[in-house]
Amino acid sequence: SAVISQKPSRDICQRGTSLTIQCQVDSQVTMMFWYRQQPGQSLTLIATANQGSEATYESGFVIDKFPISRPNLTFSTLTVSNMSPEDSSIYLCSVEWMDTEAFFGQGTRLTVV
Amino acid sequence: AQTVTQSQPEMSVQEAETVTLSCTYDTSENNYYLFWYKQPPSRQMILVIRQEAYKQQNATENRFSVNFQKAAKSFSLKISDSQLGDTAMYFCAFMKQVGKTGANNLFFGTGTRLTVIP
């Protein structure tokens, strides 16, 4: 299995500012995924990050709003830019493991005021 | 497109009793994986159990077992001897088996909030 450390665990941010969420994995992995979980909702995939290439964004998510970095096989960041209260959610990173399952970070609870 | 449906938004069970959570899915894929994830208030998504579609035998993990009906596209989770620590949101998820060049994506249901009553 893979152990994923995600930081920060929670934050309260002012609207118009940006927050960068970090995800560190204890093993080298090909694919990393970023999800958003709005209050009381299920998980929605934001983007897939593959090391050495630009992230692939799902419909409804754009790079200007959610820039992603993937500098190596164990680390990724997601930035939530120009935040508004609608961005208040839990953000989770996930890794693909052995092509057959996924493990998740602890999640970041973001509140925008 | 893959869809995952959990028709029970909330359920409750008495401690030490058995409860079954329902999940159905729709796919045209033949090879895929199904999962149940648990999300307690801590937000951590914890893998509970995993089933490969090509296996007819139902997966079991201690008190957790599944009833996998491939033809019916049904994947229910049975929790036996429920414990207070089982209180959480439970998400059913589908992963299509994509080749090495593609990304494996998880498709989640809307979740079932399970409360274990002392």
Side-chain angles (χ1 to χ4, degrees):
Chain A
S1 65
V3 177
I4 305 168
S5 298
Q6 184 174 340
K7 296 190 294 186
S9 60
R10 61 177 62 224
D11 207 341
I12 301 173
C13 300
Q14 296 290 325
R15 68 176 67 201
T17 63
S18 298
L19 175 71
T20 296
I21 302 167
Q22 300 180 357
C23 187
Q24 178 75 52
V25 190
D26 69 342
S27 305
Q28 293 185 339
V29 293
T30 304
M31 299 290 182
M32 294 182 73
F33 304 89
W34 287 97
Y35 289 87
R36 181 176 73 182
Q37 186 180 21
Q38 294 179 302
Q41 303 294 315
S42 187
L43 281 72
T44 301
L45 182 65
I46 297 172
T48 302
N50 194 2
Q51 193 267 335
S53 62
E54 282 197 7
T56 302
Y57 289 82
E58 298 298 304
S59 176
F61 298 97
V62 295
I63 187 171
D64 290 346
K65 176 66 175 178
F66 297 101
I68 287 171
S69 77
R70 184 78 203 276
N72 56 53
L73 292 173
T74 63
F75 187 78
S76 179
T77 67
L78 169 76
T79 299
V80 186
S81 304
N82 188 24
M83 288 184 285
S84 67
E86 292 71 34
D87 295 321
S88 296
S89 292
I90 295 171
Y91 293 85
L92 299 110
C93 69
S94 170
V95 301
E96 170 197 274
W97 188 253
M98 304 295 285
D99 292 337
T100 60
E101 57 190 294
F103 295 97
F104 288 83
Q106 302 94 322
T108 297
R109 184 182 297 276
L110 171 62
T111 302
V112 183
V113 298
Chain B
Q2 281 66 227
T3 60
V4 180
T5 303
Q6 292 178 250
S7 59
Q8 305 153 315
E10 294 188 14
M11 292 193 71
S12 61
V13 61
Q14 291 287 336
E15 191 175 7
E17 297 295 309
T18 296
V19 64
T20 299
L21 309 183
S22 301
C23 174
T24 59
Y25 59 95
D26 189 22
T27 184
S28 58
E29 304 282 337
N30 191 46
N31 294 321
Y32 50 87
Y33 302 90
L34 295 162
F35 308 88
W36 280 97
Y37 282 90
K38 168 185 175 181
Q39 187 180 40
S42 66
R43 305 186 305 276
Q44 177 86 54
M45 291 287 284
I46 301 166
L47 179 64
V48 174
I49 200 165
R50 171 176 172 272
Q51 174 81 43
E52 295 95 330
Y54 63 86
K55 289 188 177 179
Q56 291 187 331
Q57 185 174 8
N58 290 325
T60 62
E61 285 289 343
N62 301 314
R63 298 182 295 107
F64 299 89
S65 62
V66 298
N67 183 4
F68 173 49
Q69 302 289 328
K70 189 173 184 180
K73 296 180 181 175
S74 171
F75 183 62
S76 61
L77 174 70
K78 185 172 80 171
I79 305 174
S80 304
D81 185 24
S82 297
Q83 301 176 358
L84 297 179
D86 296 333
T87 293
M89 282 289 288
Y90 285 82
F91 291 97
C92 178
F94 169 99
M95 175 187 281
K96 61 183 179 179
Q97 188 175 25
V98 181
K100 293 290 185 181
T101 56
N104 290 350
N105 291 157
L106 279 178
F107 299 87
F108 287 90
T110 50
T112 297
R113 183 176 302 280
L114 177 67
T115 302
V116 179
I117 303 167

